[in-house]
Amino acid sequence: MMPKSLPMDYLMRYRRVSFPKRSTDIVALIAVSCTLFLFLHTQSLTSRLREMEDKLQPSEMSASGLSGNSISQESAQSNVHEMYKYLKSTGQMSTLRAWDLNNTRKADMELVFFNRVPKVGSQTFMTLIRRLSAENSFTFHRDAVQRIETIRLSPDQQLELADMVSELPTPSVYVKHVCYTNFTRFGLPTPIYVNLVRDPVERVISWYYYIRAPWYYVERKQAFPDLPLPDPRWLRKDFETCVLNHDPECTFNYGETHEGIGDHRRQTLFFCGHDEECTPFNTVGALERAKYAVESQYSVVGVLEDLNTTLSVFEAYIPRFFRGAKNIYWEEVNNFNKINRNSFKPPVSEEVKDIVRRNFTREIEFYQFCKQRLHKQFLAAKLPLN
């Protein structure tokens, strides 16, 4: 039985001890950590399933043709065969020439300009290029990590970029998140333009979860300690809920304009260029400009979902830099597949993807255009399917 009353000295002995105040940043960090823990806990089953899937398909790069998955390779080869049958039935196969599809010959210097699109496997591709630089004797350069990355530049900034790249020692590869930049506009030699694309809906989902991954904020906070921490509610929000609730970041309206690298919806922007006409989302004007740049300027635009064909075409059309790319990729495939993998990304239903696809019509058309061009280059060079 507890006594009805206790002596004052006894109560004082067990009085609450006051602790020193924590800094705002530490409290916020604890809140975010708790949020991440809850998010991971609620997604535990999904994560386990995802881990099992990753053992078969190790990363984003394990889409068609990028892993040891024979079904994926067969699917990629089937796409090439379909293109072959179409070109043959329309009489185009007999006139298909690698020379006509090889823009590498238009370059004025031995310098590859890779204006990489975010979330298309470019981290893995950069690692491959680094390895190739040692094998094929060229230098690798990339822009520094920036607090706010600007991909659409003013004319003066374009000139500064083009001038800087032109002064690099050759042969070299330069990599940066930036829109297509026309060097000849400034009287400078033309580089070898390359890039990669990805299914635009899969890419937008990948970006959504990438910027919510815990390691993303750890890296950003280390690089820029004064960056504010995100709202825990924003971190917890899944893509399906975001789309179905018509949240602004998951509402993809025709003609909308968003600046900066955060505008992940516009893959065409990286090919269309820096002009105002390139900024509205899913428009005919941006689509046609992007197509024209690919057809007239880019040596190779690879496709994430078909890396076997992509690497074969890179080797055939830009051998100075990409000789042996497939062998090096496959020799170190397990290491490459771990780069930038996001195991925190849960699956998204096809129903929700279909909702998003309805507003990505011209972005999807551009992706299909790039894929068809890649397959034409493959067939024109008479490369073996393996």
Side-chain angles (χ1 to χ4, degrees), residues 36 39 204-217 230-239 242 247 249-250 264 342 344:
L36 290 173
F39 175 78
V204 84
I205 295 169
S206 179
W207 177 267
Y208 182 91
Y209 285 109
Y210 170 70
I211 59 174
R212 285 169 168 79
W215 45 264
Y216 172 81
Y217 278 100
D231 186 334
R233 292 171 299 179
W234 182 83
L235 287 172
R236 285 197 302 267
K237 184 169 55 176
D238 65 88
F239 184 77
C242 186
D247 290 354
E249 66 177 310
C250 299
H264 48 280
N342 188 359
F344 299 96

PDB file of all heavy atoms in Angstrom, residues 36 39 204-217 230-239 242 247 249-250 264 342 344:
ATOM      1  N   LEU A  36      11.023   8.344 -41.045  1.00  0.00           N
ATOM      2  CA  LEU A  36      11.593   7.357 -41.947  1.00  0.00           C
ATOM      3  C   LEU A  36      11.423   5.946 -41.385  1.00  0.00           C
ATOM      4  O   LEU A  36      11.134   5.001 -42.118  1.00  0.00           O
ATOM      5  CB  LEU A  36      13.074   7.660 -42.179  1.00  0.00           C
ATOM      6  CG  LEU A  36      13.366   8.911 -43.006  1.00  0.00           C
ATOM      7  CD1 LEU A  36      14.863   9.195 -43.020  1.00  0.00           C
ATOM      8  CD2 LEU A  36      12.845   8.751 -44.417  1.00  0.00           C
ATOM      9  N   PHE A  39       7.910   4.948 -41.899  1.00  0.00           N
ATOM     10  CA  PHE A  39       7.687   4.684 -43.323  1.00  0.00           C
ATOM     11  C   PHE A  39       8.215   3.298 -43.698  1.00  0.00           C
ATOM     12  O   PHE A  39       7.549   2.512 -44.355  1.00  0.00           O
ATOM     13  CB  PHE A  39       8.375   5.754 -44.167  1.00  0.00           C
ATOM     14  CG  PHE A  39       8.312   5.503 -45.647  1.00  0.00           C
ATOM     15  CD1 PHE A  39       7.158   5.783 -46.351  1.00  0.00           C
ATOM     16  CD2 PHE A  39       9.402   4.975 -46.322  1.00  0.00           C
ATOM     17  CE1 PHE A  39       7.088   5.551 -47.720  1.00  0.00           C
ATOM     18  CE2 PHE A  39       9.337   4.745 -47.681  1.00  0.00           C
ATOM     19  CZ  PHE A  39       8.179   5.029 -48.375  1.00  0.00           C
ATOM     20  N   VAL A 204       9.528   9.146 -63.881  1.00  0.00           N
ATOM     21  CA  VAL A 204       8.920  10.091 -62.953  1.00  0.00           C
ATOM     22  C   VAL A 204       8.668   9.427 -61.588  1.00  0.00           C
ATOM     23  O   VAL A 204       8.800  10.061 -60.534  1.00  0.00           O
ATOM     24  CB  VAL A 204       7.628  10.693 -63.547  1.00  0.00           C
ATOM     25  CG1 VAL A 204       6.431   9.816 -63.337  1.00  0.00           C
ATOM     26  CG2 VAL A 204       7.349  12.066 -62.985  1.00  0.00           C
ATOM     27  N   ILE A 205       8.358   8.142 -61.599  1.00  0.00           N
ATOM     28  CA  ILE A 205       8.182   7.399 -60.345  1.00  0.00           C
ATOM     29  C   ILE A 205       9.527   7.244 -59.641  1.00  0.00           C
ATOM     30  O   ILE A 205       9.643   7.426 -58.424  1.00  0.00           O
ATOM     31  CB  ILE A 205       7.549   6.013 -60.617  1.00  0.00           C
ATOM     32  CG1 ILE A 205       6.126   6.180 -61.156  1.00  0.00           C
ATOM     33  CG2 ILE A 205       7.549   5.162 -59.347  1.00  0.00           C
ATOM     34  CD1 ILE A 205       5.515   4.904 -61.689  1.00  0.00           C
ATOM     35  N   SER A 206      10.546   6.928 -60.418  1.00  0.00           N
ATOM     36  CA  SER A 206      11.883   6.768 -59.849  1.00  0.00           C
ATOM     37  C   SER A 206      12.359   8.054 -59.184  1.00  0.00           C
ATOM     38  O   SER A 206      12.913   8.036 -58.081  1.00  0.00           O
ATOM     39  CB  SER A 206      12.872   6.348 -60.944  1.00  0.00           C
ATOM     40  OG  SER A 206      14.170   6.217 -60.424  1.00  0.00           O
ATOM     41  N   TRP A 207      12.130   9.184 -59.868  1.00  0.00           N
ATOM     42  CA  TRP A 207      12.536  10.463 -59.296  1.00  0.00           C
ATOM     43  C   TRP A 207      11.761  10.753 -58.009  1.00  0.00           C
ATOM     44  O   TRP A 207      12.316  11.233 -57.031  1.00  0.00           O
ATOM     45  CB  TRP A 207      12.314  11.599 -60.299  1.00  0.00           C
ATOM     46  CG  TRP A 207      12.643  12.946 -59.723  1.00  0.00           C
ATOM     47  CD1 TRP A 207      11.798  13.822 -59.119  1.00  0.00           C
ATOM     48  CD2 TRP A 207      13.932  13.551 -59.664  1.00  0.00           C
ATOM     49  NE1 TRP A 207      12.471  14.938 -58.699  1.00  0.00           N
ATOM     50  CE2 TRP A 207      13.788  14.796 -59.023  1.00  0.00           C
ATOM     51  CE3 TRP A 207      15.207  13.156 -60.100  1.00  0.00           C
ATOM     52  CZ2 TRP A 207      14.864  15.646 -58.801  1.00  0.00           C
ATOM     53  CZ3 TRP A 207      16.264  14.016 -59.880  1.00  0.00           C
ATOM     54  CH2 TRP A 207      16.094  15.245 -59.241  1.00  0.00           C
ATOM     55  N   TYR A 208      10.478  10.454 -57.991  1.00  0.00           N
ATOM     56  CA  TYR A 208       9.630  10.728 -56.829  1.00  0.00           C
ATOM     57  C   TYR A 208      10.207  10.079 -55.571  1.00  0.00           C
ATOM     58  O   TYR A 208      10.279  10.698 -54.503  1.00  0.00           O
ATOM     59  CB  TYR A 208       8.216  10.201 -57.106  1.00  0.00           C
ATOM     60  CG  TYR A 208       7.223  10.454 -55.998  1.00  0.00           C
ATOM     61  CD1 TYR A 208       6.452  11.609 -55.974  1.00  0.00           C
ATOM     62  CD2 TYR A 208       7.054   9.525 -54.961  1.00  0.00           C
ATOM     63  CE1 TYR A 208       5.539  11.842 -54.952  1.00  0.00           C
ATOM     64  CE2 TYR A 208       6.147   9.749 -53.937  1.00  0.00           C
ATOM     65  CZ  TYR A 208       5.389  10.917 -53.945  1.00  0.00           C
ATOM     66  OH  TYR A 208       4.488  11.151 -52.918  1.00  0.00           O
ATOM     67  N   TYR A 209      10.611   8.813 -55.679  1.00  0.00           N
ATOM     68  CA  TYR A 209      11.140   8.118 -54.512  1.00  0.00           C
ATOM     69  C   TYR A 209      12.621   8.391 -54.277  1.00  0.00           C
ATOM     70  O   TYR A 209      13.095   8.290 -53.133  1.00  0.00           O
ATOM     71  CB  TYR A 209      10.879   6.611 -54.641  1.00  0.00           C
ATOM     72  CG  TYR A 209       9.430   6.271 -54.383  1.00  0.00           C
ATOM     73  CD1 TYR A 209       8.592   5.868 -55.413  1.00  0.00           C
ATOM     74  CD2 TYR A 209       8.891   6.397 -53.103  1.00  0.00           C
ATOM     75  CE1 TYR A 209       7.251   5.578 -55.180  1.00  0.00           C
ATOM     76  CE2 TYR A 209       7.551   6.110 -52.857  1.00  0.00           C
ATOM     77  CZ  TYR A 209       6.740   5.703 -53.898  1.00  0.00           C
ATOM     78  OH  TYR A 209       5.413   5.428 -53.656  1.00  0.00           O
ATOM     79  N   TYR A 210      13.329   8.732 -55.304  1.00  0.00           N
ATOM     80  CA  TYR A 210      14.757   9.067 -55.152  1.00  0.00           C
ATOM     81  C   TYR A 210      14.943  10.254 -54.211  1.00  0.00           C
ATOM     82  O   TYR A 210      15.786  10.231 -53.320  1.00  0.00           O
ATOM     83  CB  TYR A 210      15.338   9.378 -56.538  1.00  0.00           C
ATOM     84  CG  TYR A 210      16.726   9.959 -56.517  1.00  0.00           C
ATOM     85  CD1 TYR A 210      17.827   9.190 -56.153  1.00  0.00           C
ATOM     86  CD2 TYR A 210      16.936  11.286 -56.883  1.00  0.00           C
ATOM     87  CE1 TYR A 210      19.108   9.729 -56.151  1.00  0.00           C
ATOM     88  CE2 TYR A 210      18.215  11.836 -56.878  1.00  0.00           C
ATOM     89  CZ  TYR A 210      19.295  11.048 -56.516  1.00  0.00           C
ATOM     90  OH  TYR A 210      20.548  11.596 -56.512  1.00  0.00           O
ATOM     91  N   ILE A 211      14.120  11.307 -54.410  1.00  0.00           N
ATOM     92  CA  ILE A 211      14.291  12.496 -53.577  1.00  0.00           C
ATOM     93  C   ILE A 211      13.696  12.311 -52.180  1.00  0.00           C
ATOM     94  O   ILE A 211      13.800  13.212 -51.346  1.00  0.00           O
ATOM     95  CB  ILE A 211      13.672  13.746 -54.246  1.00  0.00           C
ATOM     96  CG1 ILE A 211      12.180  13.552 -54.519  1.00  0.00           C
ATOM     97  CG2 ILE A 211      14.417  14.098 -55.516  1.00  0.00           C
ATOM     98  CD1 ILE A 211      11.481  14.798 -55.037  1.00  0.00           C
ATOM     99  N   ARG A 212      13.100  11.144 -51.922  1.00  0.00           N
ATOM    100  CA  ARG A 212      12.591  10.839 -50.582  1.00  0.00           C
ATOM    101  C   ARG A 212      13.447   9.780 -49.878  1.00  0.00           C
ATOM    102  O   ARG A 212      13.150   9.420 -48.737  1.00  0.00           O
ATOM    103  CB  ARG A 212      11.143  10.342 -50.670  1.00  0.00           C
ATOM    104  CG  ARG A 212      10.145  11.452 -50.946  1.00  0.00           C
ATOM    105  CD  ARG A 212       8.776  10.891 -51.302  1.00  0.00           C
ATOM    106  NE  ARG A 212       7.754  11.925 -51.288  1.00  0.00           N
ATOM    107  CZ  ARG A 212       7.561  12.811 -52.269  1.00  0.00           C
ATOM    108  NH1 ARG A 212       8.326  12.780 -53.350  1.00  0.00           N
ATOM    109  NH2 ARG A 212       6.608  13.737 -52.181  1.00  0.00           N
ATOM    110  N   ALA A 213      14.456   9.270 -50.537  1.00  0.00           N
ATOM    111  CA  ALA A 213      15.299   8.231 -49.940  1.00  0.00           C
ATOM    112  C   ALA A 213      16.166   8.818 -48.830  1.00  0.00           C
ATOM    113  O   ALA A 213      16.700   9.915 -48.981  1.00  0.00           O
ATOM    114  CB  ALA A 213      16.169   7.602 -51.027  1.00  0.00           C
ATOM    115  N   PRO A 214      16.329   8.111 -47.716  1.00  0.00           N
ATOM    116  CA  PRO A 214      17.124   8.648 -46.601  1.00  0.00           C
ATOM    117  C   PRO A 214      18.540   9.023 -46.986  1.00  0.00           C
ATOM    118  O   PRO A 214      19.053  10.062 -46.585  1.00  0.00           O
ATOM    119  CB  PRO A 214      17.106   7.492 -45.587  1.00  0.00           C
ATOM    120  CG  PRO A 214      15.882   6.712 -45.906  1.00  0.00           C
ATOM    121  CD  PRO A 214      15.711   6.817 -47.386  1.00  0.00           C
ATOM    122  N   TRP A 215      19.196   8.160 -47.796  1.00  0.00           N
ATOM    123  CA  TRP A 215      20.582   8.459 -48.156  1.00  0.00           C
ATOM    124  C   TRP A 215      20.697   9.697 -49.026  1.00  0.00           C
ATOM    125  O   TRP A 215      21.729  10.355 -49.040  1.00  0.00           O
ATOM    126  CB  TRP A 215      21.231   7.257 -48.846  1.00  0.00           C
ATOM    127  CG  TRP A 215      20.402   6.594 -49.900  1.00  0.00           C
ATOM    128  CD1 TRP A 215      19.612   5.496 -49.759  1.00  0.00           C
ATOM    129  CD2 TRP A 215      20.263   6.996 -51.274  1.00  0.00           C
ATOM    130  NE1 TRP A 215      18.989   5.185 -50.941  1.00  0.00           N
ATOM    131  CE2 TRP A 215      19.373   6.082 -51.884  1.00  0.00           C
ATOM    132  CE3 TRP A 215      20.798   8.027 -52.033  1.00  0.00           C
ATOM    133  CZ2 TRP A 215      19.026   6.178 -53.226  1.00  0.00           C
ATOM    134  CZ3 TRP A 215      20.447   8.125 -53.369  1.00  0.00           C
ATOM    135  CH2 TRP A 215      19.571   7.203 -53.951  1.00  0.00           C
ATOM    136  N   TYR A 216      19.624  10.033 -49.751  1.00  0.00           N
ATOM    137  CA  TYR A 216      19.658  11.251 -50.569  1.00  0.00           C
ATOM    138  C   TYR A 216      19.828  12.468 -49.658  1.00  0.00           C
ATOM    139  O   TYR A 216      20.633  13.368 -49.945  1.00  0.00           O
ATOM    140  CB  TYR A 216      18.363  11.356 -51.377  1.00  0.00           C
ATOM    141  CG  TYR A 216      18.194  12.662 -52.122  1.00  0.00           C
ATOM    142  CD1 TYR A 216      18.822  12.870 -53.342  1.00  0.00           C
ATOM    143  CD2 TYR A 216      17.395  13.690 -51.601  1.00  0.00           C
ATOM    144  CE1 TYR A 216      18.661  14.065 -54.041  1.00  0.00           C
ATOM    145  CE2 TYR A 216      17.238  14.875 -52.288  1.00  0.00           C
ATOM    146  CZ  TYR A 216      17.864  15.055 -53.504  1.00  0.00           C
ATOM    147  OH  TYR A 216      17.701  16.247 -54.186  1.00  0.00           O
ATOM    148  N   TYR A 217      19.081  12.501 -48.538  1.00  0.00           N
ATOM    149  CA  TYR A 217      19.171  13.649 -47.641  1.00  0.00           C
ATOM    150  C   TYR A 217      20.456  13.640 -46.823  1.00  0.00           C
ATOM    151  O   TYR A 217      20.964  14.694 -46.453  1.00  0.00           O
ATOM    152  CB  TYR A 217      17.935  13.709 -46.737  1.00  0.00           C
ATOM    153  CG  TYR A 217      16.801  14.364 -47.471  1.00  0.00           C
ATOM    154  CD1 TYR A 217      15.799  13.606 -48.056  1.00  0.00           C
ATOM    155  CD2 TYR A 217      16.772  15.738 -47.646  1.00  0.00           C
ATOM    156  CE1 TYR A 217      14.787  14.204 -48.780  1.00  0.00           C
ATOM    157  CE2 TYR A 217      15.763  16.350 -48.365  1.00  0.00           C
ATOM    158  CZ  TYR A 217      14.773  15.583 -48.926  1.00  0.00           C
ATOM    159  OH  TYR A 217      13.789  16.188 -49.652  1.00  0.00           O
ATOM    160  N   PRO A 230      13.266  18.029 -44.738  1.00  0.00           N
ATOM    161  CA  PRO A 230      11.923  17.975 -45.337  1.00  0.00           C
ATOM    162  C   PRO A 230      10.834  17.734 -44.308  1.00  0.00           C
ATOM    163  O   PRO A 230      11.088  17.228 -43.212  1.00  0.00           O
ATOM    164  CB  PRO A 230      12.039  16.799 -46.309  1.00  0.00           C
ATOM    165  CG  PRO A 230      13.069  15.915 -45.696  1.00  0.00           C
ATOM    166  CD  PRO A 230      14.069  16.834 -45.061  1.00  0.00           C
ATOM    167  N   ASP A 231       9.624  18.080 -44.691  1.00  0.00           N
ATOM    168  CA  ASP A 231       8.454  17.826 -43.866  1.00  0.00           C
ATOM    169  C   ASP A 231       8.222  16.309 -43.789  1.00  0.00           C
ATOM    170  O   ASP A 231       8.127  15.643 -44.833  1.00  0.00           O
ATOM    171  CB  ASP A 231       7.236  18.505 -44.504  1.00  0.00           C
ATOM    172  CG  ASP A 231       5.988  18.407 -43.640  1.00  0.00           C
ATOM    173  OD1 ASP A 231       5.895  17.458 -42.832  1.00  0.00           O
ATOM    174  OD2 ASP A 231       5.099  19.264 -43.787  1.00  0.00           O
ATOM    175  N   PRO A 232       8.119  15.729 -42.596  1.00  0.00           N
ATOM    176  CA  PRO A 232       7.899  14.281 -42.477  1.00  0.00           C
ATOM    177  C   PRO A 232       6.676  13.785 -43.232  1.00  0.00           C
ATOM    178  O   PRO A 232       6.667  12.675 -43.756  1.00  0.00           O
ATOM    179  CB  PRO A 232       7.747  14.075 -40.962  1.00  0.00           C
ATOM    180  CG  PRO A 232       8.502  15.209 -40.354  1.00  0.00           C
ATOM    181  CD  PRO A 232       8.302  16.376 -41.286  1.00  0.00           C
ATOM    182  N   ARG A 233       5.641  14.596 -43.301  1.00  0.00           N
ATOM    183  CA  ARG A 233       4.437  14.186 -44.035  1.00  0.00           C
ATOM    184  C   ARG A 233       4.729  14.032 -45.521  1.00  0.00           C
ATOM    185  O   ARG A 233       4.184  13.156 -46.188  1.00  0.00           O
ATOM    186  CB  ARG A 233       3.321  15.218 -43.821  1.00  0.00           C
ATOM    187  CG  ARG A 233       2.764  15.267 -42.401  1.00  0.00           C
ATOM    188  CD  ARG A 233       1.837  16.438 -42.212  1.00  0.00           C
ATOM    189  NE  ARG A 233       2.526  17.712 -42.441  1.00  0.00           N
ATOM    190  CZ  ARG A 233       1.950  18.904 -42.359  1.00  0.00           C
ATOM    191  NH1 ARG A 233       0.653  18.988 -42.065  1.00  0.00           N
ATOM    192  NH2 ARG A 233       2.653  20.000 -42.568  1.00  0.00           N
ATOM    193  N   TRP A 234       5.602  14.892 -46.029  1.00  0.00           N
ATOM    194  CA  TRP A 234       6.008  14.813 -47.436  1.00  0.00           C
ATOM    195  C   TRP A 234       6.816  13.544 -47.674  1.00  0.00           C
ATOM    196  O   TRP A 234       6.636  12.877 -48.696  1.00  0.00           O
ATOM    197  CB  TRP A 234       6.830  16.055 -47.780  1.00  0.00           C
ATOM    198  CG  TRP A 234       7.266  16.136 -49.211  1.00  0.00           C
ATOM    199  CD1 TRP A 234       6.539  16.591 -50.272  1.00  0.00           C
ATOM    200  CD2 TRP A 234       8.554  15.774 -49.730  1.00  0.00           C
ATOM    201  NE1 TRP A 234       7.288  16.533 -51.418  1.00  0.00           N
ATOM    202  CE2 TRP A 234       8.526  16.037 -51.115  1.00  0.00           C
ATOM    203  CE3 TRP A 234       9.718  15.266 -49.162  1.00  0.00           C
ATOM    204  CZ2 TRP A 234       9.627  15.803 -51.937  1.00  0.00           C
ATOM    205  CZ3 TRP A 234      10.807  15.023 -49.974  1.00  0.00           C
ATOM    206  CH2 TRP A 234      10.761  15.289 -51.348  1.00  0.00           C
ATOM    207  N   LEU A 235       7.665  13.175 -46.739  1.00  0.00           N
ATOM    208  CA  LEU A 235       8.467  11.963 -46.873  1.00  0.00           C
ATOM    209  C   LEU A 235       7.603  10.713 -46.867  1.00  0.00           C
ATOM    210  O   LEU A 235       7.891   9.739 -47.568  1.00  0.00           O
ATOM    211  CB  LEU A 235       9.490  11.878 -45.736  1.00  0.00           C
ATOM    212  CG  LEU A 235      10.675  12.836 -45.789  1.00  0.00           C
ATOM    213  CD1 LEU A 235      11.477  12.748 -44.503  1.00  0.00           C
ATOM    214  CD2 LEU A 235      11.565  12.533 -46.983  1.00  0.00           C
ATOM    215  N   ARG A 236       6.540  10.725 -46.075  1.00  0.00           N
ATOM    216  CA  ARG A 236       5.691   9.537 -45.933  1.00  0.00           C
ATOM    217  C   ARG A 236       4.784   9.312 -47.138  1.00  0.00           C
ATOM    218  O   ARG A 236       4.294   8.206 -47.347  1.00  0.00           O
ATOM    219  CB  ARG A 236       4.814   9.659 -44.676  1.00  0.00           C
ATOM    220  CG  ARG A 236       5.539   9.443 -43.362  1.00  0.00           C
ATOM    221  CD  ARG A 236       4.538   9.182 -42.252  1.00  0.00           C
ATOM    222  NE  ARG A 236       3.583  10.268 -42.100  1.00  0.00           N
ATOM    223  CZ  ARG A 236       3.723  11.284 -41.275  1.00  0.00           C
ATOM    224  NH1 ARG A 236       4.804  11.368 -40.513  1.00  0.00           N
ATOM    225  NH2 ARG A 236       2.816  12.232 -41.192  1.00  0.00           N
ATOM    226  N   LYS A 237       4.531  10.338 -47.894  1.00  0.00           N
ATOM    227  CA  LYS A 237       3.531  10.266 -48.972  1.00  0.00           C
ATOM    228  C   LYS A 237       3.995   9.342 -50.096  1.00  0.00           C
ATOM    229  O   LYS A 237       5.079   9.512 -50.635  1.00  0.00           O
ATOM    230  CB  LYS A 237       3.260  11.672 -49.510  1.00  0.00           C
ATOM    231  CG  LYS A 237       2.181  11.744 -50.569  1.00  0.00           C
ATOM    232  CD  LYS A 237       1.792  13.181 -50.858  1.00  0.00           C
ATOM    233  CE  LYS A 237       2.980  14.047 -51.254  1.00  0.00           C
ATOM    234  NZ  LYS A 237       2.572  15.416 -51.627  1.00  0.00           N
ATOM    235  N   ASP A 238       3.188   8.354 -50.454  1.00  0.00           N
ATOM    236  CA  ASP A 238       3.553   7.456 -51.548  1.00  0.00           C
ATOM    237  C   ASP A 238       3.017   7.998 -52.871  1.00  0.00           C
ATOM    238  O   ASP A 238       2.115   8.839 -52.912  1.00  0.00           O
ATOM    239  CB  ASP A 238       3.035   6.040 -51.289  1.00  0.00           C
ATOM    240  CG  ASP A 238       1.522   5.983 -51.275  1.00  0.00           C
ATOM    241  OD1 ASP A 238       0.928   5.795 -52.345  1.00  0.00           O
ATOM    242  OD2 ASP A 238       0.919   6.147 -50.185  1.00  0.00           O
ATOM    243  N   PHE A 239       3.571   7.499 -53.957  1.00  0.00           N
ATOM    244  CA  PHE A 239       3.254   8.032 -55.286  1.00  0.00           C
ATOM    245  C   PHE A 239       1.791   7.817 -55.653  1.00  0.00           C
ATOM    246  O   PHE A 239       1.152   8.704 -56.228  1.00  0.00           O
ATOM    247  CB  PHE A 239       4.170   7.384 -56.332  1.00  0.00           C
ATOM    248  CG  PHE A 239       3.992   7.943 -57.715  1.00  0.00           C
ATOM    249  CD1 PHE A 239       4.517   9.171 -58.065  1.00  0.00           C
ATOM    250  CD2 PHE A 239       3.278   7.233 -58.683  1.00  0.00           C
ATOM    251  CE1 PHE A 239       4.353   9.697 -59.339  1.00  0.00           C
ATOM    252  CE2 PHE A 239       3.112   7.739 -59.964  1.00  0.00           C
ATOM    253  CZ  PHE A 239       3.655   8.979 -60.297  1.00  0.00           C
ATOM    254  N   CYS A 242      -0.333  10.282 -53.933  1.00  0.00           N
ATOM    255  CA  CYS A 242      -0.051  11.592 -54.513  1.00  0.00           C
ATOM    256  C   CYS A 242      -0.821  11.805 -55.812  1.00  0.00           C
ATOM    257  O   CYS A 242      -1.414  12.866 -56.044  1.00  0.00           O
ATOM    258  CB  CYS A 242       1.465  11.711 -54.748  1.00  0.00           C
ATOM    259  SG  CYS A 242       2.012  13.339 -55.303  1.00  0.00           S
ATOM    260  N   ASP A 247      -2.369  15.775 -55.958  1.00  0.00           N
ATOM    261  CA  ASP A 247      -1.414  16.710 -55.380  1.00  0.00           C
ATOM    262  C   ASP A 247      -0.641  17.412 -56.501  1.00  0.00           C
ATOM    263  O   ASP A 247      -0.372  16.803 -57.545  1.00  0.00           O
ATOM    264  CB  ASP A 247      -0.423  15.979 -54.466  1.00  0.00           C
ATOM    265  CG  ASP A 247      -1.093  15.484 -53.189  1.00  0.00           C
ATOM    266  OD1 ASP A 247      -2.269  15.814 -52.992  1.00  0.00           O
ATOM    267  OD2 ASP A 247      -0.436  14.772 -52.412  1.00  0.00           O
ATOM    268  N   GLU A 249       2.434  18.123 -57.134  1.00  0.00           N
ATOM    269  CA  GLU A 249       3.658  17.520 -57.657  1.00  0.00           C
ATOM    270  C   GLU A 249       3.380  16.259 -58.474  1.00  0.00           C
ATOM    271  O   GLU A 249       4.262  15.771 -59.183  1.00  0.00           O
ATOM    272  CB  GLU A 249       4.640  17.196 -56.528  1.00  0.00           C
ATOM    273  CG  GLU A 249       4.167  16.128 -55.570  1.00  0.00           C
ATOM    274  CD  GLU A 249       5.213  15.804 -54.511  1.00  0.00           C
ATOM    275  OE1 GLU A 249       6.377  15.555 -54.881  1.00  0.00           O
ATOM    276  OE2 GLU A 249       4.865  15.811 -53.316  1.00  0.00           O
ATOM    277  N   CYS A 250       2.175  15.728 -58.385  1.00  0.00           N
ATOM    278  CA  CYS A 250       1.815  14.531 -59.140  1.00  0.00           C
ATOM    279  C   CYS A 250       0.672  14.804 -60.115  1.00  0.00           C
ATOM    280  O   CYS A 250      -0.027  13.884 -60.557  1.00  0.00           O
ATOM    281  CB  CYS A 250       1.435  13.393 -58.199  1.00  0.00           C
ATOM    282  SG  CYS A 250       2.773  12.898 -57.112  1.00  0.00           S
ATOM    283  N   HIS A 264      11.079  17.031 -63.046  1.00  0.00           N
ATOM    284  CA  HIS A 264      11.470  15.721 -63.538  1.00  0.00           C
ATOM    285  C   HIS A 264      10.556  15.195 -64.639  1.00  0.00           C
ATOM    286  O   HIS A 264      10.865  14.187 -65.260  1.00  0.00           O
ATOM    287  CB  HIS A 264      11.476  14.734 -62.374  1.00  0.00           C
ATOM    288  CG  HIS A 264      10.236  14.823 -61.541  1.00  0.00           C
ATOM    289  ND1 HIS A 264      10.057  15.792 -60.583  1.00  0.00           N
ATOM    290  CD2 HIS A 264       9.101  14.089 -61.542  1.00  0.00           C
ATOM    291  CE1 HIS A 264       8.873  15.640 -60.015  1.00  0.00           C
ATOM    292  NE2 HIS A 264       8.272  14.629 -60.569  1.00  0.00           N
ATOM    293  N   ASN A 342      17.635   2.226 -55.350  1.00  0.00           N
ATOM    294  CA  ASN A 342      16.726   2.746 -54.331  1.00  0.00           C
ATOM    295  C   ASN A 342      15.807   1.620 -53.874  1.00  0.00           C
ATOM    296  O   ASN A 342      14.770   1.359 -54.485  1.00  0.00           O
ATOM    297  CB  ASN A 342      15.914   3.924 -54.877  1.00  0.00           C
ATOM    298  CG  ASN A 342      15.102   4.602 -53.792  1.00  0.00           C
ATOM    299  OD1 ASN A 342      15.126   4.196 -52.633  1.00  0.00           O
ATOM    300  ND2 ASN A 342      14.368   5.636 -54.156  1.00  0.00           N
ATOM    301  N   PHE A 344      14.010   1.690 -51.370  1.00  0.00           N
ATOM    302  CA  PHE A 344      12.878   2.277 -50.656  1.00  0.00           C
ATOM    303  C   PHE A 344      11.705   2.575 -51.599  1.00  0.00           C
ATOM    304  O   PHE A 344      10.734   3.180 -51.197  1.00  0.00           O
ATOM    305  CB  PHE A 344      13.304   3.569 -49.958  1.00  0.00           C
ATOM    306  CG  PHE A 344      14.390   3.366 -48.946  1.00  0.00           C
ATOM    307  CD1 PHE A 344      15.713   3.569 -49.278  1.00  0.00           C
ATOM    308  CD2 PHE A 344      14.092   2.955 -47.660  1.00  0.00           C
ATOM    309  CE1 PHE A 344      16.723   3.378 -48.354  1.00  0.00           C
ATOM    310  CE2 PHE A 344      15.083   2.748 -46.720  1.00  0.00           C
ATOM    311  CZ  PHE A 344      16.416   2.960 -47.072  1.00  0.00           C
TER     312      PHE A 344
END
